[in-house]
Amino acid sequence: KRARRPKPCSLRELELTVSELGLGYESDETLLFRYCSGKCLDHRRNYDITLERMRRSGFSKKGRRDKVSNGPCCRPVAYEEDMSFLDNNSRYHTIQEVSAQACGCV
Amino acid sequence: PYLRPVKFFLMSFLNPMNSNSSSPLPPSPDEGVHATGAAQFAVSSSGWREPLDCVRASELCNQNGQCSSRFRIMRQCLSGGDKERSTMLASKECQGALEVLQDSPLYDCRCKRGMKKELQCLQNYWSIHMGLSEGEEFYEMSPYEPIHFSEEFRHASIISDSSLARVGPCADAAQPCNPCLDAAKACNLNDTCKRQRSAYIAICTKATPPQLALANQEPCSRKRCQKALRQFLERVSWEFSYPLLFCSCRDQACAERRRQTIVPACSHQERHKPTCTELRRTCRSDALCRSRLADYHMNCQVTPHTVTGCPQDNYHGCLMAYVGLIGSDVTPNYSDNSPTNITISLWCTCRGTGNHERDCDAFHRDFTHNSCLRNAIRAFGYGSEAPLTVTDPCPRSYPPSPAANPRQAWPFSPWQRAPTNRQRLHVLHLC
């Protein structure tokens, strides 16, 4: 069997009610939640290669115990603008930066 | 054929503006204003003769020396305030200019809803029609093109074809059902609708800075809110906006959501509740509001002898005209959160209007007691099986008899070609 190639970093979407967002708002209104997911294998720079090497053995040899992240990761590089909804008590709310608009390996 | 040159000839004496005209002779019919009259109607792709739009009509008028000078005079006649204007209009110059312009392409022109330069088009329209009907008519002609049968058909087929309408929303009593919530979901899942809805909600719920709010200001910027609402309704397809506005409801929570759609606390209500007469006057001083109001009166006028109570049984026409008022000075809304007993009203009162009370009531009743509008809203939300509200054959407090005003009869004449408006004529004469 051939190994499946992992999906690259990209925008995915999910239909959620506002209550399900977990931000403390009570509203049955449904919205589209967009998030970033996928691998960032093709986005390794010299920085990442060196850092991985240091993480394995180099840091201890140099007398450092720093924790560093494991290569580039898939994160939103832009968020959707204002998102407004009516809650279950008939009050309007506007929330920002809830949903991703574009993803990148950073 | 003889009358026209004579009229032009007299005009050149009466009007000082024309004394330095290069040609001392009255213009021949070929170069006269009405030469352009042949181009007053352009044949549309559907074969329907569309009236020329008023932006184009003023361009044609400006190409003609006679017409453009009279148009300029006419605009001066209308430039003053209410009081001066009627004095100005009665003057020989203004009456003369008006007479000439009645033969120009500007007389028959119309505007399209949401067209480019819509405001300019409407201003051109009223620069003639205001002089013809200043302050006297209760109902005015709509400067908008009649709503075409093709559009109507498209809409009707959507009402009857959608699975929602066929079974009726909330057909399954066991399932939770909130069509207004479904409409919000549909909007949120569409990028344009979500963006535009969020935009007007954010503006309409934004509080004014406390120091301004203390100075007896409104709690929000009403003007900006109304503009954002108009933008939402212009840019978002009616397939998303109408379900938000006209969803059907079984319970109060749903009906409250429907009432909240336009953020009434900012767009509809005001700290001060004006009289409906005042509100109407404010609206009529603004070209856009005045036009939308005239369009509403034309398309939602209760008609006693159609099944639905609407002119031409055209629900779509009435809903479109109603939506056109949202974001204007006369922004209508549901008056409460009753799920089935739909009442639409304006934010105004007729209490204490004294001898204007009859007119005031008549104006407001076109919203509060309008069986055409109510049936159209029900038919949209509840599908074609919605019960019809029985038409009141002659509304009790009907506005001043149109026959009392000799001018009233003729502005309708250019419309007699279109069947839509013939219907309205009957209404006016019957009641």
Side-chain angles (χ1 to χ4, degrees):
Chain A
K1 256 187 194 171
R2 248 166 81 195
R4 235 180 30 173
R5 203 182 145 73
K7 277 192 184 162
C9 175
S10 62
L11 204 59
R12 321 270 166 97
E13 51 189 43
L14 205 57
E15 282 179 26
L16 292 176
T17 66
V18 173
S19 302
E20 286 174 319
L21 293 175
L23 297 170
Y25 296 105
E26 288 280 330
S27 171
D28 296 329
E29 213 170 283
T30 306
L31 50 82
L32 206 58
F33 172 68
R34 292 196 169 100
Y35 62 99
C36 298
S37 174
K39 293 280 184 223
C40 288
L41 296 174
D42 301 337
H43 290 79
R44 278 156 60 94
R45 295 160 212 214
N46 288 335
Y47 168 84
D48 298 302
I49 296 165
T50 305
L51 209 60
E52 195 185 348
R53 176 67 179 265
M54 288 301 116
R55 203 163 50 89
R56 293 231 168 114
S57 57
F59 275 146
S60 50
K61 272 184 203 160
K62 307 275 180 204
R64 300 286 172 88
R65 322 180 76 180
D66 295 338
K67 286 196 172 161
V68 293
S69 74
N70 197 3
C73 69
C74 184
R75 289 279 305 163
V77 290
Y79 294 90
E80 275 174 27
E81 301 156 67
D82 292 358
M83 164 73 221
S84 301
F85 61 89
L86 188 69
D87 74 13
N88 293 349
N89 294 315
S90 298
R91 293 179 78 106
Y92 279 109
H93 299 279
T94 301
I95 47 181
Q96 281 111 15
E97 304 195 332
V98 182
S99 191
Q101 196 172 45
C103 303
C105 291
V106 291
Chain B
Y2 289 102
L3 276 167
R4 251 166 212 165
V6 169
K7 192 161 76 187
F8 283 130
F9 189 65
L10 284 174
M11 281 303 302
S12 53
F13 278 111
L14 290 171
N15 206 307
M17 294 281 290
N18 206 42
S19 55
N20 55 356
S21 165
S22 55
S23 149
L25 290 168
S28 77
D30 288 328
E31 49 186 346
V33 235
H34 54 293
T36 44
Q40 276 175 42
F41 293 91
V43 178
S44 77
S45 54
S46 60
W48 186 270
R49 268 167 28 124
E50 280 181 19
L52 197 65
D53 85 64
C54 303
V55 178
R56 184 81 192 102
S58 74
E59 281 166 13
L60 284 176
C61 176
N62 283 332
Q63 282 165 18
N64 177 295
Q66 280 273 350
C67 190
S68 72
S69 73
R70 296 312 189 283
F71 190 35
R72 219 168 26 241
I73 294 165
M74 199 58 223
R75 273 183 302 209
Q76 282 169 7
C77 298
L78 296 170
S79 59
D82 277 350
K83 280 247 174 68
E84 311 163 45
R85 197 183 291 147
S86 42
T87 333
M88 281 282 271
L89 279 172
S91 73
K92 240 179 207 167
E93 269 91 4
C94 296
Q95 283 300 308
L98 203 54
E99 212 170 300
V100 172
L101 289 171
Q102 278 179 41
D103 288 335
S104 81
L106 276 162
Y107 172 68
D108 260 348
C109 68
R110 292 283 178 275
C111 302
K112 284 191 172 73
R113 296 162 189 81
M115 70 187 280
K116 233 198 242 174
K117 298 185 184 169
E118 182 178 345
L119 192 60
Q120 194 194 326
C121 184
L122 296 170
Q123 279 161 346
N124 287 343
Y125 175 90
W126 290 113
S127 63
I128 294 193
H129 290 261
M130 208 146 81
L132 298 172
S133 64
E134 180 56 30
E136 286 156 44
E137 277 173 54
F138 195 82
Y139 295 123
E140 296 182 303
M141 289 288 302
S142 168
Y144 290 107
E145 288 189 332
I147 292 152
H148 289 296
F149 293 106
S150 55
E151 286 175 81
E152 197 186 319
F153 179 75
R154 200 170 55 108
H155 181 237
S157 67
I158 282 164
I159 286 189
S160 55
D161 284 0
S162 83
S163 53
L164 202 73
R166 235 181 288 130
V167 285
C170 307
D172 184 357
Q175 290 292 310
C177 167
N178 186 338
C180 298
L181 198 58
D182 295 343
K185 176 180 174 178
C187 177
N188 284 340
L189 298 185
N190 174 282
D191 278 327
T192 309
C193 189
K194 182 189 67 182
R195 202 169 349 106
Q196 295 291 335
R197 176 171 177 254
S198 295
Y200 83 73
I201 292 172
I203 292 171
C204 297
T205 54
K206 193 177 170 197
T208 43
Q211 63 271 28
L212 284 175
L214 273 177
N216 214 16
Q217 291 264 331
E218 293 294 325
C220 65
S221 170
R222 192 176 155 79
K223 284 283 158 235
R224 288 189 60 215
C225 167
Q226 292 183 335
K227 191 180 173 195
L229 264 171
R230 290 201 303 270
Q231 223 166 57
F232 167 78
L233 296 167
E234 246 166 55
R235 295 182 183 173
V236 170
S237 158
W238 66 269
E239 285 148 290
F240 292 108
S241 56
Y242 284 31
L244 283 167
L245 293 164
F246 307 123
C247 40
S248 63
C249 286
R250 252 189 348 195
D251 55 61
Q252 287 196 348
C254 171
E256 179 59 15
R257 176 173 273 278
R258 176 172 65 191
R259 193 184 78 83
Q260 289 284 350
T261 301
I262 61 166
V263 199
C266 186
S267 70
H268 174 73
Q269 286 153 242
E270 265 182 291
R271 202 165 275 188
H272 156 73
K273 197 170 197 172
T275 68
C276 301
T277 314
E278 260 179 275
L279 193 65
R280 177 166 173 260
R281 201 180 304 129
T282 312
C283 178
R284 298 243 281 195
S285 65
D286 173 77
L288 185 72
C289 191
R290 186 177 193 158
S291 307
R292 299 290 170 92
L293 186 62
D295 201 46
Y296 172 78
H297 282 146
M298 182 138 226
N299 287 293
C300 295
Q301 189 66 71
V302 178
T303 311
H305 47 257
T306 58
V307 185
T308 58
C310 287
Q312 284 274 295
D313 286 326
N314 183 355
Y315 279 153
H316 184 45
C318 179
L319 291 184
M320 245 174 105
Y322 174 86
V323 169
L325 288 176
I326 297 174
S328 74
D329 287 318
V330 284
T331 295
N333 198 27
Y334 298 90
S335 59
D336 53 41
N337 58 7
S338 158
T340 47
N341 190 9
I342 294 171
T343 311
I344 301 291
S345 66
L346 300 174
W347 188 256
C348 64
T349 174
C350 283
R351 219 174 285 163
T353 46
N355 55 349
H356 291 301
E357 199 165 326
R358 213 170 105 90
D359 274 12
C360 184
D361 274 338
F363 173 69
H364 202 202
R365 283 177 66 92
D366 280 332
F367 292 88
T368 54
H369 292 72
N370 188 323
S371 53
C372 161
L373 175 64
R374 211 174 303 165
N375 286 334
I377 292 175
R378 284 205 187 128
F380 187 88
Y382 298 77
S384 44
E385 275 153 58
L388 290 173
T389 302
V390 180
T391 309
D392 192 353
C394 279
R396 268 173 302 279
S397 52
Y398 209 76
S401 158
N405 175 9
R407 262 183 181 171
Q408 187 110 32
W410 72 263
F412 292 103
S413 58
W415 286 77
Q416 280 178 341
R417 282 181 223 116
T420 325
N421 309 291
R422 203 177 298 144
Q423 208 104 30
R424 225 181 81 81
L425 269 176
H426 286 299
V427 186
L428 285 169
H429 293 312
L430 278 170
C431 295

